Amino acid sequence: MKFVKGLALSRAFFSEAVQPILSRRFPDLHYSAGLIGSGSEVIGYDDAVSTDHHWGPRVMLFLAPAVHCEFAGAISALLADNLPYRFRGYSTNFSAPKSEDGDQGTQLLEDIEAGPVSHRVEILTLEGFMRAYLGVSAAQKLRAADWLSIPQHKLLSFTAGALFRDDINVQAARERLRYYPRDLWLYMLACGWSRVGQDEHLAPRAGAVGDELGASLIGGRLARSIMQLCFLLERRYAPYPKWFGSAFAELDCAAELAPVLQAMQRSENWRERQRHLCAAFELLNRRQNALRLTAPVQPAVQEFHGRGFCVSNAWRYIKPLLAEIRDSEVKAIAAASLIGSVDQFSDNTDLREAVKLRAKIAGLYRD
């Protein structure tokens, strides 16, 4: 069958299948409905391959806490008994969550011909969902440490996707998390430049002593750090690694910078890699200066201690950016460390996905 994007499928499933059932049985019910949170379809990168697991006709219904307590079970049962067995060619019935090693509750589409539908119309409260997915309360005013401890890909997927109906104003919570407050953004930009500064002289140094493998590995780290910095420069949340390059290709800077980074990754020796790296620094310098957050930084590259290779001398960006911060909490965090957000100091999936560790990660930024 012709592939349908998951978000479009979800919207149609709600309007043509779920909403009519609710309207007949609960005509006065106030709720919000949509598709946000986990799933490649939420951020628009799903394709036919995505349909092999955890994908299909699904919707999230958000109820006020008291309404959820009273009606969630009845609504779920009503849908199980009345939803069609197939929608737009896809089964609406999902398998039980798989629990084999390496599987994290994956559910598959599973055809049935009789009996109740094991549907994925999740019936939630906003509070419960935010605590489970982000590790913060819906009513909580986020402090700087809270922002920094939530992975960007989760902030992205919470604010992406779509709401198809919004009686209880879920959108207000999404808008609050649309992007980092300005002073936090400045801090994270400084931390992004700090990461570049920590590695930029190491790649050519390793190459100069004949360690081409080591130089190549450091070059790869630099490419990733540069790409992360580009998301910050354009005030865009970065997705998790599977879609990192796809989302980078959509940035304004990608037309110029992606070919340079690809050439750097393909370089066969450190001198060629260094040439492309300097070109990347030139482009970054132009993008950073165009924001006019600080006085222009010039030149874009400088020789490193007379060693015959050039670097951006990233500290020239860091100090002016930090000087623009006004928020006292962010100032204190910056004075203590430039580790940045959880994404900037770790790419460990277990750490970034462990919602129960979020408060502990936030503790890293507090005295």
Side-chain angles (χ1 to χ4, degrees), residues 35-42 58 120 129 133 157:
L35 191 63
I36 61 176
S38 62
S40 297
E41 64 268 42
V42 172
R58 65 186 186 97
R120 284 196 65 199
F129 176 71
Y133 191 66
S157 56

Side-chain angles (χ1 to χ4, degrees), residues 193 233 284-293 317 321:
W193 279 108
L233 288 169
L284 278 181
N285 173 265
R286 192 188 328 148
R287 295 278 172 172
Q288 178 69 71
N289 286 339
L291 293 176
R292 298 184 179 180
L293 297 172
Y317 302 89
L321 286 166

